[in-house]
Amino acid sequence: MCETSFATVETQVGTLTVVVSPRGVRWIALPSDDAERAIRETGARPGPIGPVRGQLEEYFAGTRTSFDAPLDLEGLPPFRTKVLGALQHVPFGEVTTYKGLAVDVDNPGAVRAVGTACARNPLPLLIPCHRVVRSDGHLGRYRGGEDMKRFLLALEGHLE
């Protein structure tokens, strides 16, 4: 792939729009997101998206527990990059809390900032922000909505 391209992937939670740059997956727009904005801001054109399509299909089929498609996080603020890096270490089927994630990035007082970093995650699913819950056990917010978060956690065996 020599230019930034996009394609859609149909899933049980709706249509995902996946943008891939020459460096890796750049953006995944959830059904609740403004996919046109993602395409416009990245200058993507319709085209191949490489191995991420198959990996997402396998994930939703219940046969994949991790992703190894290359990611493109270039240009993100350092704190957000650090939070997203820590999120990549939350295993399939497990959850962490916003507070736990703040501790993981050596900034225990930054619980709200961690929440904001999760909300602005350009690569949901690949960087599993749906695996972050509130300390009181409630699911917490998710950009794709509560139903989608519940579905993803159930798919991973965390919820019944």
Side-chain angles (χ1 to χ4, degrees):
M1 289 173 280
C2 17
E3 66 177 38
T4 300
S5 59
F6 77 91
T8 58
V9 178
E10 297 301 324
T11 73
Q12 295 97 312
V13 296
T15 303
L16 306 177
T17 300
V18 181
V19 176
V20 178
S21 78
R23 289 180 295 281
V25 185
R26 179 89 179 148
W27 200 320
I28 295 180
L30 301 175
S32 59
D33 292 336
D34 182 355
E36 292 300 319
R37 181 178 142 236
I39 293 164
R40 186 176 56 254
E41 287 184 8
T42 59
R45 298 182 182 272
I49 56 171
V52 69
R53 174 185 297 282
Q55 291 183 20
L56 285 166
E57 290 169 347
E58 291 167 358
Y59 172 78
F60 281 101
T63 60
R64 176 173 286 273
T65 60
S66 64
F67 297 96
D68 58 11
L71 308 180
D72 178 1
L73 297 174
E74 186 174 296
L76 293 182
F79 181 77
R80 190 179 323 163
T81 301
K82 194 172 185 180
V83 170
L84 297 179
L87 262 174
Q88 290 177 288
H89 297 289
V90 179
F92 181 91
E94 295 184 24
V95 295
T96 188
T97 63
Y98 295 99
K99 183 166 183 56
L101 200 51
V103 168
D104 289 346
V105 298
D106 300 320
N107 201 334
V111 175
R112 291 178 65 95
V114 163
T116 299
C118 290
R120 294 183 178 165
N121 175 5
L123 298 173
L125 303 172
L126 302 186
I127 300 178
C129 51
H130 62 278
R131 295 180 189 155
V132 183
V133 298
R134 293 178 9 181
S135 295
D136 64 6
H138 288 93
L139 288 183
R141 300 182 128 199
Y142 184 64
R143 193 169 81 219
E146 185 178 330
D147 289 343
M148 184 175 185
K149 187 169 187 170
R150 282 187 185 286
F151 176 87
L152 296 171
L153 291 174
L155 177 70
E156 295 186 6
H158 185 72
L159 294 177
E160 294 181 19

